[in-house]
Amino acid sequence: PAEEPVAKVSLDKPVALALKFVPGDLTTYKVVVESERSVQFDEPEPNRSGSRLEMTYFQRIKSINNKGNASALITIKDLKYTSIEKNAPLVKFDSSLEKDMHNPMARLIGESYTIELTPSGDVADVTDFSKAQFAIKSASRAGKAATALVQKKSIKDRHEIVSLPAPDKNKLKPSDNWSKLKSFDFGMMGSKSFERIYTLKEVNQVGNEEEAIVEMEGIPSAETLKDQRDAQRDAFANMADSTDTYTGRLKLDLTTGKVEEFREELVTQWVIVSPDSRPGSGEAPEALIMKSTQLYSLERID
């Protein structure tokens, strides 16, 4: 089918950037959550550790309370999960493969839990997740990974739409912006805080619907995780030159109040040059390179 024509909308009044809920509505989403860290010194390839989750799920709006929050039933449809430690695979699961149906993670397929979702994208509560935990019944590495996916905090982090503005500040025009703080703890490399600056770039007319495009750029903030830092790792982190790239994008259907696409990614790299490297020798200096990637992606399937 031919794609709908896209036209920019000239706005004389602000639009509301918020989710909308209709009881009984059913939407399918795919979420990707990835965290990876790598270390490279004199090896040809870096040592990588981390995990990646790809989950396709149904979201059905059960009801709306007097605060305007939705009770949404989340049912897991498909699941892919991998975790590695120093390039060695620890857990690998793909629900589309018949051979993986005996993996403890397969018991999550078809399981459900309920979230309370606010119009500003916050998850106010998570309930009914114990049944999914009991379904796993395995203390294996894959079983523990599966159980971690249906813990309250993991569920909350997986379903929050952090790019939406506060309810009392969500009436915006293109070029308007708002910001939120986010901190990351990098272990031995200390912590970093970023001010995520969100900007409403444009509002487009797509067929009979309007969509808003929001872009995010994260910049280092003076805020730090003081209570999680110590002198030893601060000293190590201060030896390194670091660079950060923190970007994001949101596409929100203003007519239906549904997220079409949402993605945020932080890439941080630290470089420590060996003190034994000889300047002017003509040889490339020996350097320890560490890298961290944090990715969140949400896509509406139908």
Side-chain angles (χ1 to χ4, degrees), residues 208-279:
N208 295 322
E209 299 182 341
E210 287 184 351
E211 66 177 22
I213 305 297
V214 174
E215 293 184 358
M216 184 276 285
E217 181 179 8
I219 60 175
S221 167
E223 297 289 331
T224 56
L225 296 173
K226 291 294 186 184
D227 58 332
Q228 296 183 9
R229 295 168 65 90
D230 57 56
Q232 183 177 4
R233 69 176 186 172
D234 278 356
F236 189 71
N238 289 337
M239 295 169 58
D241 292 324
S242 67
T243 57
D244 307 290
T245 303
Y246 197 5
T247 57
R249 188 174 191 269
L250 168 72
K251 182 189 291 186
L252 178 68
D253 188 323
L254 296 173
T255 306
T256 63
K258 294 183 180 182
V259 172
E260 297 294 325
E261 299 173 8
F262 171 45
R263 178 185 177 92
E264 290 194 356
E265 183 176 30
L266 169 64
V267 179
T268 299
Q269 181 170 282
W270 299 266
V271 178
I272 301 177
V273 177
S274 169
D276 296 329
S277 298
R278 294 173 297 168

Side-chain angles (χ1 to χ4, degrees), residues 30-35 51-55 78-82 105 149 158 297:
K30 178 181 178 180
V31 62
V32 177
V33 183
E34 182 174 7
S35 177
S51 63
R52 179 181 174 91
L53 166 71
E54 297 181 26
M55 178 187 290
D78 297 305
L79 189 64
K80 291 183 181 179
Y81 181 84
T82 57
M105 283 201 153
L149 294 180
R158 190 160 59 240
S297 170

Side-chain angles (χ1 to χ4, degrees), residues 11-210:
L11 295 176
D12 295 322
K13 60 181 180 179
V15 296
L17 294 185
L19 303 181
K20 297 178 183 178
F21 309 118
V22 177
D25 182 76
L26 181 67
T27 310
T28 307
Y29 286 104
K30 178 181 178 180
V31 62
V32 177
V33 183
E34 182 174 7
S35 177
E36 183 184 272
R37 60 191 184 278
S38 66
V39 179
Q40 185 174 11
F41 185 55
D42 55 1
E43 307 92 342
E45 293 292 331
N47 277 320
R48 292 187 173 90
S49 300
S51 63
R52 179 181 174 91
L53 166 71
E54 297 181 26
M55 178 187 290
T56 302
Y57 62 88
F58 302 115
Q59 176 177 291
R60 183 171 66 84
I61 305 302
K62 297 194 294 183
S63 61
I64 302 170
N65 65 19
N66 56 12
K67 297 179 181 178
N69 299 344
S71 175
L73 180 69
I74 307 296
T75 304
I76 300 171
K77 179 178 181 287
D78 297 305
L79 189 64
K80 291 183 181 179
Y81 181 84
T82 57
S83 66
I84 59 172
E85 184 69 35
K86 296 181 179 179
N87 294 340
L90 300 180
V91 179
K92 189 172 184 180
F93 173 74
D94 185 343
S95 63
S96 68
L97 301 178
E98 185 67 29
K99 69 179 182 65
D100 285 355
M101 286 301 97
H102 297 294
N103 189 299
M105 283 201 153
R107 296 169 191 161
L108 287 178
I109 306 304
E111 291 294 332
S112 301
Y113 47 83
T114 301
I115 63 173
E116 182 183 338
L117 192 60
T118 74
S120 57
D122 296 324
V123 175
D125 197 10
V126 180
T127 56
D128 304 330
F129 54 90
S130 58
K131 181 176 176 292
Q133 294 177 343
F134 292 145
I136 297 165
K137 298 178 182 176
S138 174
S140 67
R141 185 171 281 158
K144 290 178 179 178
T147 301
L149 294 180
V150 284
Q151 297 291 338
K152 193 169 186 174
K153 184 179 185 306
S154 296
I155 293 171
K156 186 176 186 290
D157 291 345
R158 190 160 59 240
H159 293 285
E160 285 197 323
I161 311 300
V162 298
S163 57
L164 290 171
D168 58 340
K169 299 178 180 178
N170 67 6
K171 305 293 195 299
L172 302 163
K173 294 181 179 180
S175 79
D176 286 347
N177 59 60
W178 63 101
S179 65
K180 297 182 180 183
L181 288 175
K182 174 72 173 178
S183 295
F184 295 87
D185 186 6
F186 296 106
M188 65 184 294
M189 298 310 295
S191 64
K192 289 188 177 188
S193 290
F194 296 88
E195 182 180 9
R196 295 177 294 182
I197 300 173
Y198 297 92
T199 303
L200 175 58
K201 301 298 289 188
E202 58 190 51
V203 176
N204 297 323
Q205 187 77 36
V206 183
N208 295 322
E209 299 182 341
E210 287 184 351

